[in-house]
Amino acid sequence: MALLHSNRTAYFAGLFLVSVLAAATRLYKLDEPPHIAWDETHFGKFASYYINRTFFLDVHPPLGKMAIALAGYQSGYDGTFAFDKPSDLYGNTSYYGMRLFCAACGTLCIPLAYLTVGEMTGSTGASFLTAVWMIFDTGLLTISQYILLDPVLLVFIMFAVLCMAKTQSYHLQHRSFTVGWWCWLSLTGLSLGCAISVKWVGLFIVLLVGLSTVSELWDVLLDVKNGARVLLGHFAARCVCLISIPISVYILFFLIHFQVLKNSGNGDAFFSSAFQATLDGNSISNCTVPPEIAYGSVITLRNARIAGGLLHSHAHLYPDGIGARQQQITVYHHRDENNKWVVRKAHSHTQDTDGSAPEFVSHGDFIRLEHASTRRLLHSHHHKAPLSTKHYQVTGYGFNGTGDMNDVWQVQVGSSGNGSPFVSPDVGRHIKVLKSRIILVHNISQCALHSSSKQLPKWGWEQKEVSCNPKLRNNIANMWLVEGHENKHLPNATLETLRPGLLDKMYESHVVMAQTNSGFKPKANEVTSRPWMWPINYQGQVFSGGANNTIRVYLLGNPIIWWSNTVCIVVYVVLAIMYSIVLQRGVKLEKDFADDCRRSLRCCTWMLIGWLLHYIPFYMMGRVLYFHHYFPAFLFNAMLTGTVLDFILRHSSRLLASNSIAQLSYTVLCTCLHAGVLSAVVASFTLFHPLSYGMTGERSQHSGSQMHGLHWLPSWEF
């Protein structure tokens, strides 16, 4: 830190300058384009749901969306705009406040990065270069100017890295357990909790801080002067600050999320009946239906597993080569008339209830289920299921409620335990709405109607597979709940549903979020991205075509910045190897130079680890990926680049100054070299800034376009 402390005025002047530049670049033309751009259609709509207190489903934790909604509410947005699709004009909608909040988060990333690099290297030059690399990157600028979760996530990641760097400094200076150390350690935990409360990608910064913590504890353990009490104190402090605080913060935001979203909405059907019962206005909340199922009842069946869907059919057939070419049976997570089934007696095709003497369905009964819309019967046979090939296919079969013996199912009431028999002994027990977990066992094949979590291809409308499981065991995926019930011949009653607590609701929400997220697969003709493309800026992402294509925005990094980032990773590895060889051979280095090498390389090592943790996992993800997923990793790469370039420029200047005939001063040479690098970055930004602020007029293929001649790679699509 010697370099930093020797020129504190320049350091804080630099901090002020980069903060002003960051704000200026991110606030400029913030109201343009005046229409929905890319994923604003999702996150703006989510803000509307929060303002209207309407429940919805999303794959991300709630903090970022709640913060955007609060910004919108405070700035006058009333939650009435539809956010239907990209390019829809905002008109008189108060959208600026939400964009302003996201731009503020994007702006804060720059001074946080400046402070982090300054803390770890002690170099004002490294801090300044890092900030410039972020300020003048067109990609980071674009991602910061719209109603998105990315800038909210990035600011918490950067704050966590700064807190980690501060905590490391206290550790290296042997100042643990001071007031400052406790504050920064607690703030680290707070920032980690906030990061993972925005997106699960925040778990990667948790891993980085975890590795830093392990490194510090290892140092404490190796110091023979530390007794058991000191070791226990270090361990306990980190458990409280880095485990308990993040978990508490994460739970707190979900608690607020559930308290705010109290009204029924379009996300209800993805959740269990008990979960839905907690929502005002839901058909299950204060449910008034006939409490027991009778023959002739029209019912809907929901699979009893967490995030189980509704038994569904439609008029489409299984394609050739997929078992028998009969009507598809699926699980669907939206309410629909095609979810309704009529309960029939196994050996009767007439009306089962005449209105005078209803006959209730009981445990052990044999029934048929007739699809209310198509009048085909729930059917199974010894053809393989489409995806679960060890199971049997389930289809809709027959005509006008008439089929064969493969349509007969025995109703058995299941047990909720893991080890007990799944059939209860009390034959004759009536089937109750929302309470009885029933298993439908095929009369001939002796298999259980089963809902797998596997998603059917496009021929199955990407709904979930239904099969018949020959393993008759206590499997929750074999169990079903009667959720909806209609029977005009039976009296209604208000049902009391067991309402889950906070942790139960969180668990179910996470299962639904994970399943939904894993279902995001590339669609036909959809422009997606692969991780290998990202560091080399190979392909961008269309952000906005604009209403009538008047304003076009394209997410692409500043090529000079991104390509230099990739080069600097290689340069750092070479420098680290050279430094290790020098140390191993016992070469004597000047103390100032050795200290500078140690600080700079240590900073770069942690930045490289952060980059790897935020980049490599995407190679193992099966979901659809986009260019914007790389930006957390970009932050670490930019900090590494700023440190490497500053180290090379300063020591090159010193070498040139010592050997120059004119004996130019080190300061003059260093300033000139830094200015040359900064000029190249700013010049590139000047060329490509219309990608962020909006391209107008002719397309880039025309000679009169402002972007003509800038297709440096043929894969760029602006």
PDB file of all heavy atoms in Angstrom, residues 123 125-126 129 571 575 579 592-601 604 640-654 666 670 674:
ATOM      1  N   SER A 123      -1.580   0.923  -6.078  1.00  0.00           N
ATOM      2  CA  SER A 123      -1.205   1.703  -7.252  1.00  0.00           C
ATOM      3  C   SER A 123      -2.390   2.510  -7.766  1.00  0.00           C
ATOM      4  O   SER A 123      -3.417   1.938  -8.139  1.00  0.00           O
ATOM      5  CB  SER A 123      -0.701   0.775  -8.363  1.00  0.00           C
ATOM      6  OG  SER A 123      -0.549   1.478  -9.572  1.00  0.00           O
ATOM      7  N   GLY A 125      -2.304   4.142 -10.546  1.00  0.00           N
ATOM      8  CA  GLY A 125      -2.358   3.856 -11.985  1.00  0.00           C
ATOM      9  C   GLY A 125      -3.172   2.611 -12.289  1.00  0.00           C
ATOM     10  O   GLY A 125      -3.978   2.597 -13.226  1.00  0.00           O
ATOM     11  N   ALA A 126      -2.977   1.556 -11.516  1.00  0.00           N
ATOM     12  CA  ALA A 126      -3.731   0.317 -11.733  1.00  0.00           C
ATOM     13  C   ALA A 126      -5.220   0.554 -11.488  1.00  0.00           C
ATOM     14  O   ALA A 126      -6.071   0.063 -12.243  1.00  0.00           O
ATOM     15  CB  ALA A 126      -3.207  -0.783 -10.810  1.00  0.00           C
ATOM     16  N   LEU A 129      -6.580   2.670 -14.520  1.00  0.00           N
ATOM     17  CA  LEU A 129      -6.723   1.869 -15.737  1.00  0.00           C
ATOM     18  C   LEU A 129      -7.915   0.918 -15.634  1.00  0.00           C
ATOM     19  O   LEU A 129      -8.669   0.734 -16.588  1.00  0.00           O
ATOM     20  CB  LEU A 129      -5.448   1.086 -16.008  1.00  0.00           C
ATOM     21  CG  LEU A 129      -4.278   1.861 -16.621  1.00  0.00           C
ATOM     22  CD1 LEU A 129      -3.034   0.980 -16.685  1.00  0.00           C
ATOM     23  CD2 LEU A 129      -4.646   2.338 -18.022  1.00  0.00           C
ATOM     24  N   VAL A 571      -0.509 -12.816 -20.446  1.00  0.00           N
ATOM     25  CA  VAL A 571       0.662 -12.077 -19.958  1.00  0.00           C
ATOM     26  C   VAL A 571       0.843 -12.301 -18.462  1.00  0.00           C
ATOM     27  O   VAL A 571       1.971 -12.510 -17.979  1.00  0.00           O
ATOM     28  CB  VAL A 571       0.521 -10.579 -20.275  1.00  0.00           C
ATOM     29  CG1 VAL A 571       1.629  -9.778 -19.592  1.00  0.00           C
ATOM     30  CG2 VAL A 571       0.550 -10.352 -21.778  1.00  0.00           C
ATOM     31  N   LEU A 575       4.104 -13.758 -16.567  1.00  0.00           N
ATOM     32  CA  LEU A 575       4.797 -13.010 -15.514  1.00  0.00           C
ATOM     33  C   LEU A 575       4.850 -13.800 -14.208  1.00  0.00           C
ATOM     34  O   LEU A 575       5.877 -13.793 -13.504  1.00  0.00           O
ATOM     35  CB  LEU A 575       4.092 -11.675 -15.277  1.00  0.00           C
ATOM     36  CG  LEU A 575       4.217 -10.619 -16.385  1.00  0.00           C
ATOM     37  CD1 LEU A 575       3.360  -9.407 -16.057  1.00  0.00           C
ATOM     38  CD2 LEU A 575       5.682 -10.203 -16.570  1.00  0.00           C
ATOM     39  N   TYR A 579       8.243 -14.872 -12.344  1.00  0.00           N
ATOM     40  CA  TYR A 579       8.495 -14.468 -10.954  1.00  0.00           C
ATOM     41  C   TYR A 579       8.783 -15.683 -10.077  1.00  0.00           C
ATOM     42  O   TYR A 579       9.673 -15.641  -9.215  1.00  0.00           O
ATOM     43  CB  TYR A 579       7.277 -13.701 -10.440  1.00  0.00           C
ATOM     44  CG  TYR A 579       7.439 -13.170  -9.031  1.00  0.00           C
ATOM     45  CD1 TYR A 579       8.366 -12.174  -8.744  1.00  0.00           C
ATOM     46  CD2 TYR A 579       6.662 -13.666  -7.997  1.00  0.00           C
ATOM     47  CE1 TYR A 579       8.507 -11.676  -7.452  1.00  0.00           C
ATOM     48  CE2 TYR A 579       6.787 -13.186  -6.701  1.00  0.00           C
ATOM     49  CZ  TYR A 579       7.723 -12.186  -6.437  1.00  0.00           C
ATOM     50  OH  TYR A 579       7.859 -11.711  -5.157  1.00  0.00           O
ATOM     51  N   ASP A 592      11.707  -2.567  -3.225  1.00  0.00           N
ATOM     52  CA  ASP A 592      10.496  -1.923  -3.748  1.00  0.00           C
ATOM     53  C   ASP A 592       9.926  -2.706  -4.930  1.00  0.00           C
ATOM     54  O   ASP A 592       8.708  -2.890  -5.043  1.00  0.00           O
ATOM     55  CB  ASP A 592      10.795  -0.492  -4.177  1.00  0.00           C
ATOM     56  CG  ASP A 592      11.008   0.424  -2.985  1.00  0.00           C
ATOM     57  OD1 ASP A 592      10.646   0.019  -1.858  1.00  0.00           O
ATOM     58  OD2 ASP A 592      11.530   1.539  -3.177  1.00  0.00           O
ATOM     59  N   PHE A 593      10.827  -3.174  -5.810  1.00  0.00           N
ATOM     60  CA  PHE A 593      10.373  -3.935  -6.972  1.00  0.00           C
ATOM     61  C   PHE A 593       9.773  -5.270  -6.544  1.00  0.00           C
ATOM     62  O   PHE A 593       8.726  -5.697  -7.056  1.00  0.00           O
ATOM     63  CB  PHE A 593      11.537  -4.165  -7.939  1.00  0.00           C
ATOM     64  CG  PHE A 593      11.167  -4.967  -9.149  1.00  0.00           C
ATOM     65  CD1 PHE A 593      10.322  -4.447 -10.117  1.00  0.00           C
ATOM     66  CD2 PHE A 593      11.647  -6.256  -9.317  1.00  0.00           C
ATOM     67  CE1 PHE A 593       9.975  -5.190 -11.238  1.00  0.00           C
ATOM     68  CE2 PHE A 593      11.300  -7.007 -10.427  1.00  0.00           C
ATOM     69  CZ  PHE A 593      10.462  -6.472 -11.392  1.00  0.00           C
ATOM     70  N   ALA A 594      10.413  -5.931  -5.589  1.00  0.00           N
ATOM     71  CA  ALA A 594       9.909  -7.221  -5.105  1.00  0.00           C
ATOM     72  C   ALA A 594       8.545  -7.067  -4.445  1.00  0.00           C
ATOM     73  O   ALA A 594       7.633  -7.875  -4.662  1.00  0.00           O
ATOM     74  CB  ALA A 594      10.911  -7.841  -4.136  1.00  0.00           C
ATOM     75  N   ASP A 595       8.393  -6.002  -3.629  1.00  0.00           N
ATOM     76  CA  ASP A 595       7.101  -5.763  -2.987  1.00  0.00           C
ATOM     77  C   ASP A 595       6.017  -5.455  -4.013  1.00  0.00           C
ATOM     78  O   ASP A 595       4.866  -5.917  -3.889  1.00  0.00           O
ATOM     79  CB  ASP A 595       7.217  -4.596  -1.997  1.00  0.00           C
ATOM     80  CG  ASP A 595       8.041  -4.964  -0.769  1.00  0.00           C
ATOM     81  OD1 ASP A 595       8.237  -6.174  -0.539  1.00  0.00           O
ATOM     82  OD2 ASP A 595       8.479  -4.039  -0.054  1.00  0.00           O
ATOM     83  N   ASP A 596       6.397  -4.684  -5.034  1.00  0.00           N
ATOM     84  CA  ASP A 596       5.439  -4.348  -6.081  1.00  0.00           C
ATOM     85  C   ASP A 596       5.010  -5.601  -6.845  1.00  0.00           C
ATOM     86  O   ASP A 596       3.824  -5.795  -7.156  1.00  0.00           O
ATOM     87  CB  ASP A 596       6.059  -3.324  -7.029  1.00  0.00           C
ATOM     88  CG  ASP A 596       5.027  -2.699  -7.961  1.00  0.00           C
ATOM     89  OD1 ASP A 596       3.822  -2.775  -7.636  1.00  0.00           O
ATOM     90  OD2 ASP A 596       5.421  -2.163  -9.013  1.00  0.00           O
ATOM     91  N   CYS A 597       5.973  -6.463  -7.164  1.00  0.00           N
ATOM     92  CA  CYS A 597       5.658  -7.729  -7.844  1.00  0.00           C
ATOM     93  C   CYS A 597       4.703  -8.571  -7.003  1.00  0.00           C
ATOM     94  O   CYS A 597       3.713  -9.105  -7.516  1.00  0.00           O
ATOM     95  CB  CYS A 597       6.937  -8.526  -8.103  1.00  0.00           C
ATOM     96  SG  CYS A 597       7.967  -7.870  -9.429  1.00  0.00           S
ATOM     97  N   ARG A 598       5.003  -8.654  -5.727  1.00  0.00           N
ATOM     98  CA  ARG A 598       4.182  -9.496  -4.850  1.00  0.00           C
ATOM     99  C   ARG A 598       2.756  -8.959  -4.774  1.00  0.00           C
ATOM    100  O   ARG A 598       1.787  -9.723  -4.877  1.00  0.00           O
ATOM    101  CB  ARG A 598       4.817  -9.533  -3.457  1.00  0.00           C
ATOM    102  CG  ARG A 598       4.020 -10.322  -2.427  1.00  0.00           C
ATOM    103  CD  ARG A 598       4.741 -10.336  -1.087  1.00  0.00           C
ATOM    104  NE  ARG A 598       5.144  -9.003  -0.666  1.00  0.00           N
ATOM    105  CZ  ARG A 598       4.311  -8.111  -0.120  1.00  0.00           C
ATOM    106  NH1 ARG A 598       3.039  -8.411   0.067  1.00  0.00           N
ATOM    107  NH2 ARG A 598       4.750  -6.921   0.234  1.00  0.00           N
ATOM    108  N   ARG A 599       2.594  -7.638  -4.603  1.00  0.00           N
ATOM    109  CA  ARG A 599       1.256  -7.057  -4.509  1.00  0.00           C
ATOM    110  C   ARG A 599       0.480  -7.228  -5.808  1.00  0.00           C
ATOM    111  O   ARG A 599      -0.688  -7.636  -5.820  1.00  0.00           O
ATOM    112  CB  ARG A 599       1.340  -5.573  -4.155  1.00  0.00           C
ATOM    113  CG  ARG A 599       1.624  -5.263  -2.693  1.00  0.00           C
ATOM    114  CD  ARG A 599       1.343  -3.795  -2.410  1.00  0.00           C
ATOM    115  NE  ARG A 599       2.150  -2.932  -3.251  1.00  0.00           N
ATOM    116  CZ  ARG A 599       3.336  -2.448  -2.917  1.00  0.00           C
ATOM    117  NH1 ARG A 599       3.860  -2.735  -1.742  1.00  0.00           N
ATOM    118  NH2 ARG A 599       4.001  -1.669  -3.736  1.00  0.00           N
ATOM    119  N   SER A 600       1.129  -6.895  -6.921  1.00  0.00           N
ATOM    120  CA  SER A 600       0.431  -6.937  -8.209  1.00  0.00           C
ATOM    121  C   SER A 600       0.044  -8.358  -8.587  1.00  0.00           C
ATOM    122  O   SER A 600      -1.076  -8.618  -9.048  1.00  0.00           O
ATOM    123  CB  SER A 600       1.314  -6.321  -9.302  1.00  0.00           C
ATOM    124  OG  SER A 600       1.567  -4.954  -9.035  1.00  0.00           O
ATOM    125  N   LEU A 601       0.986  -9.295  -8.410  1.00  0.00           N
ATOM    126  CA  LEU A 601       0.691 -10.675  -8.783  1.00  0.00           C
ATOM    127  C   LEU A 601      -0.343 -11.288  -7.847  1.00  0.00           C
ATOM    128  O   LEU A 601      -1.161 -12.113  -8.272  1.00  0.00           O
ATOM    129  CB  LEU A 601       1.971 -11.503  -8.800  1.00  0.00           C
ATOM    130  CG  LEU A 601       2.976 -11.122  -9.900  1.00  0.00           C
ATOM    131  CD1 LEU A 601       4.228 -11.975  -9.806  1.00  0.00           C
ATOM    132  CD2 LEU A 601       2.339 -11.276 -11.289  1.00  0.00           C
ATOM    133  N   CYS A 604      -3.648 -10.021  -9.100  1.00  0.00           N
ATOM    134  CA  CYS A 604      -4.010 -10.692 -10.352  1.00  0.00           C
ATOM    135  C   CYS A 604      -4.432 -12.135 -10.108  1.00  0.00           C
ATOM    136  O   CYS A 604      -5.323 -12.654 -10.799  1.00  0.00           O
ATOM    137  CB  CYS A 604      -2.835 -10.647 -11.327  1.00  0.00           C
ATOM    138  SG  CYS A 604      -2.518  -9.014 -12.015  1.00  0.00           S
ATOM    139  N   LEU A 640      -7.956  -7.428 -13.553  1.00  0.00           N
ATOM    140  CA  LEU A 640      -6.669  -8.069 -13.836  1.00  0.00           C
ATOM    141  C   LEU A 640      -5.913  -7.286 -14.901  1.00  0.00           C
ATOM    142  O   LEU A 640      -4.702  -7.046 -14.772  1.00  0.00           O
ATOM    143  CB  LEU A 640      -6.913  -9.509 -14.292  1.00  0.00           C
ATOM    144  CG  LEU A 640      -5.686 -10.383 -14.567  1.00  0.00           C
ATOM    145  CD1 LEU A 640      -5.999 -11.844 -14.251  1.00  0.00           C
ATOM    146  CD2 LEU A 640      -5.219 -10.292 -16.019  1.00  0.00           C
ATOM    147  N   THR A 641      -6.607  -6.873 -15.945  1.00  0.00           N
ATOM    148  CA  THR A 641      -5.957  -6.129 -17.030  1.00  0.00           C
ATOM    149  C   THR A 641      -5.392  -4.808 -16.537  1.00  0.00           C
ATOM    150  O   THR A 641      -4.249  -4.435 -16.874  1.00  0.00           O
ATOM    151  CB  THR A 641      -6.963  -5.877 -18.170  1.00  0.00           C
ATOM    152  OG1 THR A 641      -7.400  -7.128 -18.689  1.00  0.00           O
ATOM    153  CG2 THR A 641      -6.328  -5.062 -19.284  1.00  0.00           C
ATOM    154  N   GLY A 642      -6.175  -4.070 -15.759  1.00  0.00           N
ATOM    155  CA  GLY A 642      -5.680  -2.808 -15.235  1.00  0.00           C
ATOM    156  C   GLY A 642      -4.421  -2.987 -14.416  1.00  0.00           C
ATOM    157  O   GLY A 642      -3.471  -2.190 -14.513  1.00  0.00           O
ATOM    158  N   THR A 643      -4.364  -4.049 -13.613  1.00  0.00           N
ATOM    159  CA  THR A 643      -3.192  -4.306 -12.775  1.00  0.00           C
ATOM    160  C   THR A 643      -1.986  -4.710 -13.611  1.00  0.00           C
ATOM    161  O   THR A 643      -0.865  -4.218 -13.397  1.00  0.00           O
ATOM    162  CB  THR A 643      -3.515  -5.420 -11.758  1.00  0.00           C
ATOM    163  OG1 THR A 643      -4.670  -5.035 -11.003  1.00  0.00           O
ATOM    164  CG2 THR A 643      -2.352  -5.651 -10.818  1.00  0.00           C
ATOM    165  N   VAL A 644      -2.188  -5.597 -14.576  1.00  0.00           N
ATOM    166  CA  VAL A 644      -1.081  -6.063 -15.422  1.00  0.00           C
ATOM    167  C   VAL A 644      -0.520  -4.927 -16.262  1.00  0.00           C
ATOM    168  O   VAL A 644       0.707  -4.731 -16.340  1.00  0.00           O
ATOM    169  CB  VAL A 644      -1.549  -7.229 -16.327  1.00  0.00           C
ATOM    170  CG1 VAL A 644      -0.524  -7.514 -17.412  1.00  0.00           C
ATOM    171  CG2 VAL A 644      -1.795  -8.479 -15.499  1.00  0.00           C
ATOM    172  N   LEU A 645      -1.409  -4.175 -16.912  1.00  0.00           N
ATOM    173  CA  LEU A 645      -0.929  -3.082 -17.761  1.00  0.00           C
ATOM    174  C   LEU A 645      -0.184  -2.027 -16.945  1.00  0.00           C
ATOM    175  O   LEU A 645       0.871  -1.528 -17.375  1.00  0.00           O
ATOM    176  CB  LEU A 645      -2.111  -2.438 -18.487  1.00  0.00           C
ATOM    177  CG  LEU A 645      -2.717  -3.228 -19.652  1.00  0.00           C
ATOM    178  CD1 LEU A 645      -3.896  -2.468 -20.242  1.00  0.00           C
ATOM    179  CD2 LEU A 645      -1.662  -3.479 -20.733  1.00  0.00           C
ATOM    180  N   ASP A 646      -0.715  -1.672 -15.793  1.00  0.00           N
ATOM    181  CA  ASP A 646      -0.036  -0.683 -14.955  1.00  0.00           C
ATOM    182  C   ASP A 646       1.344  -1.180 -14.530  1.00  0.00           C
ATOM    183  O   ASP A 646       2.322  -0.411 -14.563  1.00  0.00           O
ATOM    184  CB  ASP A 646      -0.890  -0.386 -13.725  1.00  0.00           C
ATOM    185  CG  ASP A 646      -0.185   0.531 -12.757  1.00  0.00           C
ATOM    186  OD1 ASP A 646       0.000   1.716 -13.083  1.00  0.00           O
ATOM    187  OD2 ASP A 646       0.200   0.045 -11.661  1.00  0.00           O
ATOM    188  N   PHE A 647       1.430  -2.452 -14.152  1.00  0.00           N
ATOM    189  CA  PHE A 647       2.718  -3.020 -13.741  1.00  0.00           C
ATOM    190  C   PHE A 647       3.723  -2.953 -14.887  1.00  0.00           C
ATOM    191  O   PHE A 647       4.874  -2.519 -14.713  1.00  0.00           O
ATOM    192  CB  PHE A 647       2.514  -4.471 -13.296  1.00  0.00           C
ATOM    193  CG  PHE A 647       3.772  -5.159 -12.858  1.00  0.00           C
ATOM    194  CD1 PHE A 647       4.251  -5.018 -11.565  1.00  0.00           C
ATOM    195  CD2 PHE A 647       4.484  -5.951 -13.745  1.00  0.00           C
ATOM    196  CE1 PHE A 647       5.413  -5.649 -11.160  1.00  0.00           C
ATOM    197  CE2 PHE A 647       5.651  -6.591 -13.352  1.00  0.00           C
ATOM    198  CZ  PHE A 647       6.120  -6.445 -12.055  1.00  0.00           C
ATOM    199  N   ILE A 648       3.288  -3.346 -16.082  1.00  0.00           N
ATOM    200  CA  ILE A 648       4.197  -3.345 -17.240  1.00  0.00           C
ATOM    201  C   ILE A 648       4.586  -1.925 -17.619  1.00  0.00           C
ATOM    202  O   ILE A 648       5.772  -1.633 -17.879  1.00  0.00           O
ATOM    203  CB  ILE A 648       3.531  -4.062 -18.429  1.00  0.00           C
ATOM    204  CG1 ILE A 648       3.376  -5.548 -18.132  1.00  0.00           C
ATOM    205  CG2 ILE A 648       4.340  -3.857 -19.706  1.00  0.00           C
ATOM    206  CD1 ILE A 648       2.583  -6.298 -19.184  1.00  0.00           C
ATOM    207  N   LEU A 649       3.630  -1.017 -17.646  1.00  0.00           N
ATOM    208  CA  LEU A 649       3.912   0.357 -18.059  1.00  0.00           C
ATOM    209  C   LEU A 649       4.839   1.062 -17.073  1.00  0.00           C
ATOM    210  O   LEU A 649       5.771   1.777 -17.475  1.00  0.00           O
ATOM    211  CB  LEU A 649       2.608   1.139 -18.201  1.00  0.00           C
ATOM    212  CG  LEU A 649       1.677   0.707 -19.346  1.00  0.00           C
ATOM    213  CD1 LEU A 649       0.370   1.482 -19.287  1.00  0.00           C
ATOM    214  CD2 LEU A 649       2.362   0.911 -20.693  1.00  0.00           C
ATOM    215  N   ARG A 650       4.614   0.870 -15.784  1.00  0.00           N
ATOM    216  CA  ARG A 650       5.461   1.537 -14.788  1.00  0.00           C
ATOM    217  C   ARG A 650       6.897   1.034 -14.859  1.00  0.00           C
ATOM    218  O   ARG A 650       7.848   1.841 -14.846  1.00  0.00           O
ATOM    219  CB  ARG A 650       4.904   1.314 -13.384  1.00  0.00           C
ATOM    220  CG  ARG A 650       3.721   2.216 -13.045  1.00  0.00           C
ATOM    221  CD  ARG A 650       3.349   2.177 -11.585  1.00  0.00           C
ATOM    222  NE  ARG A 650       2.728   0.906 -11.190  1.00  0.00           N
ATOM    223  CZ  ARG A 650       3.340  -0.025 -10.478  1.00  0.00           C
ATOM    224  NH1 ARG A 650       4.596   0.151 -10.084  1.00  0.00           N
ATOM    225  NH2 ARG A 650       2.706  -1.141 -10.153  1.00  0.00           N
ATOM    226  N   HIS A 651       7.066  -0.264 -14.952  1.00  0.00           N
ATOM    227  CA  HIS A 651       8.437  -0.794 -14.932  1.00  0.00           C
ATOM    228  C   HIS A 651       9.115  -0.658 -16.285  1.00  0.00           C
ATOM    229  O   HIS A 651      10.347  -0.543 -16.350  1.00  0.00           O
ATOM    230  CB  HIS A 651       8.425  -2.234 -14.441  1.00  0.00           C
ATOM    231  CG  HIS A 651       8.035  -2.343 -12.994  1.00  0.00           C
ATOM    232  ND1 HIS A 651       8.842  -1.883 -11.977  1.00  0.00           N
ATOM    233  CD2 HIS A 651       6.897  -2.795 -12.401  1.00  0.00           C
ATOM    234  CE1 HIS A 651       8.230  -2.074 -10.810  1.00  0.00           C
ATOM    235  NE2 HIS A 651       7.042  -2.616 -11.050  1.00  0.00           N
ATOM    236  N   SER A 652       8.336  -0.613 -17.374  1.00  0.00           N
ATOM    237  CA  SER A 652       8.926  -0.279 -18.677  1.00  0.00           C
ATOM    238  C   SER A 652       9.400   1.162 -18.681  1.00  0.00           C
ATOM    239  O   SER A 652      10.471   1.478 -19.222  1.00  0.00           O
ATOM    240  CB  SER A 652       7.892  -0.492 -19.792  1.00  0.00           C
ATOM    241  OG  SER A 652       7.496  -1.833 -19.862  1.00  0.00           O
ATOM    242  N   SER A 653       8.614   2.043 -18.078  1.00  0.00           N
ATOM    243  CA  SER A 653       9.006   3.455 -17.998  1.00  0.00           C
ATOM    244  C   SER A 653      10.284   3.618 -17.193  1.00  0.00           C
ATOM    245  O   SER A 653      11.195   4.385 -17.572  1.00  0.00           O
ATOM    246  CB  SER A 653       7.880   4.269 -17.350  1.00  0.00           C
ATOM    247  OG  SER A 653       6.695   4.146 -18.077  1.00  0.00           O
ATOM    248  N   ARG A 654      10.378   2.888 -16.086  1.00  0.00           N
ATOM    249  CA  ARG A 654      11.578   2.973 -15.255  1.00  0.00           C
ATOM    250  C   ARG A 654      12.803   2.479 -16.027  1.00  0.00           C
ATOM    251  O   ARG A 654      13.880   3.078 -15.976  1.00  0.00           O
ATOM    252  CB  ARG A 654      11.388   2.153 -13.983  1.00  0.00           C
ATOM    253  CG  ARG A 654      12.600   2.220 -13.041  1.00  0.00           C
ATOM    254  CD  ARG A 654      12.327   1.505 -11.723  1.00  0.00           C
ATOM    255  NE  ARG A 654      11.449   2.305 -10.865  1.00  0.00           N
ATOM    256  CZ  ARG A 654      10.200   2.000 -10.566  1.00  0.00           C
ATOM    257  NH1 ARG A 654       9.664   0.904 -11.060  1.00  0.00           N
ATOM    258  NH2 ARG A 654       9.479   2.787  -9.779  1.00  0.00           N
ATOM    259  N   TYR A 666      11.254   9.389 -15.201  1.00  0.00           N
ATOM    260  CA  TYR A 666      10.368   8.224 -15.083  1.00  0.00           C
ATOM    261  C   TYR A 666       8.915   8.667 -15.119  1.00  0.00           C
ATOM    262  O   TYR A 666       8.070   8.061 -15.787  1.00  0.00           O
ATOM    263  CB  TYR A 666      10.679   7.493 -13.774  1.00  0.00           C
ATOM    264  CG  TYR A 666       9.560   6.587 -13.311  1.00  0.00           C
ATOM    265  CD1 TYR A 666       9.312   5.378 -13.946  1.00  0.00           C
ATOM    266  CD2 TYR A 666       8.748   6.960 -12.233  1.00  0.00           C
ATOM    267  CE1 TYR A 666       8.283   4.563 -13.526  1.00  0.00           C
ATOM    268  CE2 TYR A 666       7.718   6.150 -11.810  1.00  0.00           C
ATOM    269  CZ  TYR A 666       7.483   4.946 -12.458  1.00  0.00           C
ATOM    270  OH  TYR A 666       6.469   4.141 -12.043  1.00  0.00           O
ATOM    271  N   CYS A 670       6.216   7.363 -17.864  1.00  0.00           N
ATOM    272  CA  CYS A 670       5.090   6.573 -17.348  1.00  0.00           C
ATOM    273  C   CYS A 670       3.761   7.225 -17.736  1.00  0.00           C
ATOM    274  O   CYS A 670       2.820   6.550 -18.174  1.00  0.00           O
ATOM    275  CB  CYS A 670       5.201   6.448 -15.837  1.00  0.00           C
ATOM    276  SG  CYS A 670       4.016   5.296 -15.114  1.00  0.00           S
ATOM    277  N   HIS A 674       0.904   5.550 -20.214  1.00  0.00           N
ATOM    278  CA  HIS A 674      -0.475   5.403 -19.755  1.00  0.00           C
ATOM    279  C   HIS A 674      -1.431   6.176 -20.671  1.00  0.00           C
ATOM    280  O   HIS A 674      -2.513   5.672 -21.023  1.00  0.00           O
ATOM    281  CB  HIS A 674      -0.623   5.906 -18.317  1.00  0.00           C
ATOM    282  CG  HIS A 674      -0.229   4.906 -17.276  1.00  0.00           C
ATOM    283  ND1 HIS A 674       1.087   4.602 -16.998  1.00  0.00           N
ATOM    284  CD2 HIS A 674      -0.987   4.133 -16.446  1.00  0.00           C
ATOM    285  CE1 HIS A 674       1.126   3.695 -16.033  1.00  0.00           C
ATOM    286  NE2 HIS A 674      -0.116   3.389 -15.680  1.00  0.00           N
TER     287      HIS A 674
END
